[in-house]
Amino acid sequence: MPSTLEQLSPTRVKLTIDLPFEDLRPAIDAAYQDIAQQVNIPGFRKGKVPARLIDQRFGRGLVLQEAINSMLPQAYGEAVQTHDLRPLGQPDIDISELNDGTNVLFTAEVDVRPDFEIADMTGVGVEVPASTVSDDEVNERVELLRERFATVTEVERPVETGDVVVLNLTASQDGTTLPEAEASEVSYKIGAGGFVDGLDEAVVGLAAGEKATFTSTLVGGPNRGEEAEIEVEVVKVQSQDLPDVDDEFAQLVSEFDTAEEMLADLRDNLERLARIDQANKAREAVLAKLIEATEFELPESLVTTEQQSRREGIEQQLSAAGLTVEQYLDEAEDEEAQTPEEFWADIDQRVLEGLRSQIILDKYAEDAELQVDQGELSELIFAKAQQNGTSPEQEIQHMVEHDHAAEWMSEVRRGKALGELVAAATVIDAEGNEVDLALLNNDGSIAEPADDEAEEAAVETPAQEIAEAADALTDAEEAAAEEQKPAVKKRTTKKADAESAESEDAAAEETKPAAKKRTTKKADAETAESDK
């Protein structure tokens, strides 16, 4: 079907599509059949009502409306492909002409990906932290293990720093106890921190059964952030005995027989985590430089919609946690924003950068003709299962039920695109060493260089239980194509509307067909941050 393209701006176009009635005829016949199945007219069996009687009782306009609605997605999708467009949202559809028996003329305005050139990352340098692990970091992990397997012994003496105590806490304001600020038999290690300020000082020196009162700021509940008088009673004093780091301890906390083997494995795991962090930092740095160096315009409506959606999501999360933005900023140690205005400005900027990165990586993947195979989708499914504490089968079920296949494929494709861009850049660590990420596995281990036979080996599905991923991959490709098509609201010309309204008045006593509900899909820009 013929269509023309008008460039309204670098990021918005107008398609004018001429839909011949010959192409619309099957949809009209289907609309008659659909209406005939819904109405009850005396003298006719369900589904056998003649077309002429449907026109008389309910109006030709209703039939045309149903038929046009069913054909609009296909007609729009073909026009998008004809003009090689990359829509960034759902179109605004308007039927401008309806010539019964001849053609339907309609327009579709939609935001599209602008034309731009991706900046060349070849040789671009970025610096990342060194992946070395210090003895202090290893010792810190060892101490955590020692505390986890420590034994406690009740003692009859005043509390000392390092003791594990059992406490009763009661908060009050102006002599009135706060019901939601009471806690009984709370276990706490003196000196560990993370509780209300002033607790350690109030408790040290008390014996079991003794009490103390101090003033502090509440950190939870409806009175969060308010000052209150807190009465603390020591129920029990316990001395903590940490185990020695020896072979017996290694056998208790790990699969190793000796402490030396356990410590070596602990260091190796920390080094793997450091390499993963280093690789993530490299990706972030390269992506930041890529965004800065690649210039193009974003549709204002897309940016506004995504920023508003992100704001609403954060507000819901804070509300569920019983926090205001101000309270969150007071407690968040890694949050740089000092005021709500700075916080929301930072969120808006992150959304903007996220949209730009998605568009850049999608274009790179398209230009480089990057594909996603079954093994790569399976690998993502396994990673999500590990991250979410679920099974691969559950993730597959979630993917299919929520139509995430196309989204997850895009996630893999963008990751591959970013990997190639990072490989083109020069990554230097803080010690001046060049970092080669080519052989880095997802778990932080270093892969052995592949020989010729390994290069030729096909990627196999990680486990039999995700064999369904092959079908999901095909479905995802079809779903990705379907995303080009709009879900449109019912639209007719004034002539059709008037004819339909007049017929409905005339048939007020007859049973009318139920109109199908159609809505316009909201544009889905995310993603990553995902997720998660």
Side-chain angles (χ1 to χ4, degrees):
M1 57 196 74
S3 63
T4 59
L5 175 69
E6 180 183 354
Q7 193 81 36
L8 302 178
S9 74
T11 62
R12 192 166 181 83
V13 299
K14 179 180 180 180
L15 290 165
T16 301
I17 303 167
D18 190 350
L19 177 60
F21 246 66
E22 280 304 310
D23 293 345
L24 190 61
R25 185 69 59 189
I28 293 176
D29 293 340
Y32 276 120
Q33 288 293 325
D34 187 40
I35 295 173
Q37 289 290 342
Q38 297 181 56
V39 300
N40 292 316
I41 295 181
F44 295 93
R45 287 181 297 165
K46 214 172 191 59
K48 299 298 183 179
V49 181
R52 60 176 179 76
L53 189 56
I54 291 176
D55 287 346
Q56 291 174 2
R57 297 298 180 110
F58 305 109
R60 171 78 166 173
L62 178 64
V63 177
L64 295 179
Q65 177 176 291
E66 289 293 314
I68 292 171
N69 275 333
S70 68
M71 282 294 295
L72 283 181
Q74 178 185 337
Y76 167 73
E78 289 182 9
V80 165
Q81 293 180 1
T82 299
H83 297 282
D84 196 26
L85 300 176
R86 301 295 179 272
L88 296 178
Q90 292 300 315
D92 294 326
I93 302 289
D94 185 38
I95 298 176
S96 53
E97 251 182 69
L98 171 55
N99 302 307
D100 196 347
T102 306
N103 71 322
V104 179
L105 201 66
F106 71 93
T107 61
E109 289 190 20
V110 64
D111 291 328
V112 295
R113 190 179 77 194
D115 290 329
F116 64 93
E117 294 296 326
I118 299 175
D120 186 5
M121 288 290 102
T122 304
V124 172
V126 297
E127 184 175 311
V128 295
S131 62
T132 55
V133 174
S134 68
D135 291 340
D136 288 341
E137 291 175 288
V138 176
N139 292 335
E140 182 179 345
R141 291 301 181 95
V142 171
E143 287 306 305
L144 289 175
L145 285 172
R146 294 180 70 200
E147 289 197 7
R148 185 181 303 172
F149 290 90
T151 58
V152 292
T153 305
E154 187 171 356
V155 294
E156 294 185 1
R157 59 166 173 76
V159 176
E160 299 175 358
T161 299
D163 286 344
V164 176
V165 294
V166 178
L167 307 172
N168 291 334
L169 296 161
T170 304
S172 61
Q173 290 177 331
D174 300 325
T176 302
T177 299
L178 302 176
E180 296 187 25
E182 292 183 285
S184 300
E185 297 194 358
V186 177
S187 183
Y188 171 68
K189 182 177 180 178
I190 302 298
F195 226 144
V196 292
D197 292 338
L199 178 63
D200 290 358
E201 294 81 357
V203 172
V204 169
L206 297 181
E210 294 182 339
K211 300 180 181 180
T213 302
F214 63 101
T215 301
S216 188
T217 302
L218 298 176
V219 295
N223 301 98
R224 178 194 300 266
E226 299 177 8
E227 281 199 351
E229 294 292 320
I230 300 177
E231 181 185 81
V232 56
E233 177 187 10
V234 178
V235 178
K236 190 184 298 183
V237 182
Q238 301 170 118
S239 174
Q240 186 179 54
D241 299 317
L242 300 176
D244 295 329
V245 182
D246 52 20
D247 293 349
E248 184 179 352
F249 177 69
Q251 294 165 18
L252 174 66
V253 303
S254 71
E255 72 269 25
F256 299 103
D257 294 327
T258 68
E260 183 178 358
E261 291 174 315
M262 178 199 70
L263 292 172
D265 181 70
L266 189 58
R267 180 180 291 275
D268 180 60
N269 287 332
L270 289 173
E271 288 175 348
R272 290 188 184 195
L273 291 174
R275 286 193 292 268
I276 292 173
D277 181 65
Q278 188 182 62
N280 289 334
K281 291 289 196 302
R283 293 187 182 97
E284 291 171 3
V286 170
L287 187 55
K289 289 201 171 187
L290 183 64
I291 292 172
E292 183 180 359
T294 304
E295 296 184 359
F296 60 91
E297 186 178 330
L298 279 175
E300 183 177 346
S301 60
L302 175 64
V303 174
T304 301
T305 298
E306 287 303 306
Q307 288 176 340
Q308 183 62 33
S309 177
R310 179 70 64 84
R311 178 185 288 258
E312 291 174 356
I314 291 174
E315 288 176 338
Q316 289 174 1
Q317 290 178 348
L318 292 175
S319 176
L323 290 171
T324 63
V325 175
E326 291 83 354
Q327 290 170 334
Y328 166 75
L329 293 176
D330 287 340
E331 297 181 11
E333 297 179 357
D334 58 348
E335 183 61 61
E336 296 181 2
Q338 300 296 316
T339 65
E341 291 75 19
E342 292 178 359
F343 174 75
W344 291 121
D346 182 56
I347 294 298
D348 287 346
Q349 182 61 27
R350 292 183 192 178
V351 169
L352 191 62
E353 292 175 355
L355 289 173
R356 293 182 69 83
S357 67
Q358 278 191 5
I359 290 173
I360 291 172
L361 295 177
D362 285 343
K363 177 173 170 51
Y364 181 92
E366 181 182 310
D367 293 345
E369 298 183 348
L370 299 182
Q371 302 297 322
V372 178
D373 60 37
Q374 181 182 335
E376 290 164 333
L377 182 60
S378 299
E379 186 178 346
L380 177 67
I381 290 171
F382 265 75
K384 287 183 177 292
Q386 185 176 17
Q387 180 182 359
N388 298 330
T390 58
S391 67
E393 298 97 318
Q394 289 173 311
E395 290 299 327
I396 290 174
Q397 183 178 359
H398 176 80
M399 177 182 71
V400 173
E401 288 179 353
H402 296 275
D403 295 327
H404 285 327
E407 177 187 340
W408 289 9
M409 283 178 62
S410 295
E411 185 178 337
V412 175
R413 189 177 291 112
R414 289 176 189 138
K416 293 178 69 172
L418 183 55
E420 290 194 3
L421 290 164
V422 172
T426 300
V427 182
I428 305 295
D429 69 16
E431 297 176 352
N433 303 311
E434 187 168 347
V435 180
D436 183 6
L437 301 175
L439 298 178
L440 182 66
N441 293 325
N442 289 336
D443 65 355
S445 60
I446 303 297
E448 293 293 333
D451 55 26
D452 293 339
E453 292 183 359
E455 289 284 351
E456 296 174 359
V459 178
E460 296 183 355
T461 307
Q464 184 177 359
E465 60 264 24
I466 60 171
E468 302 172 37
D471 292 334
L473 188 63
T474 302
D475 293 341
E477 291 170 344
E478 295 175 356
E482 286 296 321
E483 286 185 354
Q484 302 286 353
K485 302 178 182 179
V488 297
K489 295 181 179 179
K490 292 184 175 179
R491 301 172 189 269
T492 59
T493 61
K494 292 181 179 178
K495 177 182 175 182
D497 283 337
E499 183 180 349
S500 178
E502 182 180 348
S503 299
E504 288 175 0
D505 291 339
E509 300 303 318
E510 301 288 352
T511 303
K512 300 180 181 179
K516 293 183 179 178
K517 184 178 181 182
R518 301 177 186 269
T519 58
T520 301
K521 289 183 180 178
K522 190 177 180 181
D524 184 3
E526 231 124 147
T527 347
E529 260 237 325
S530 264
D531 331 22
K532 303 113 313 129

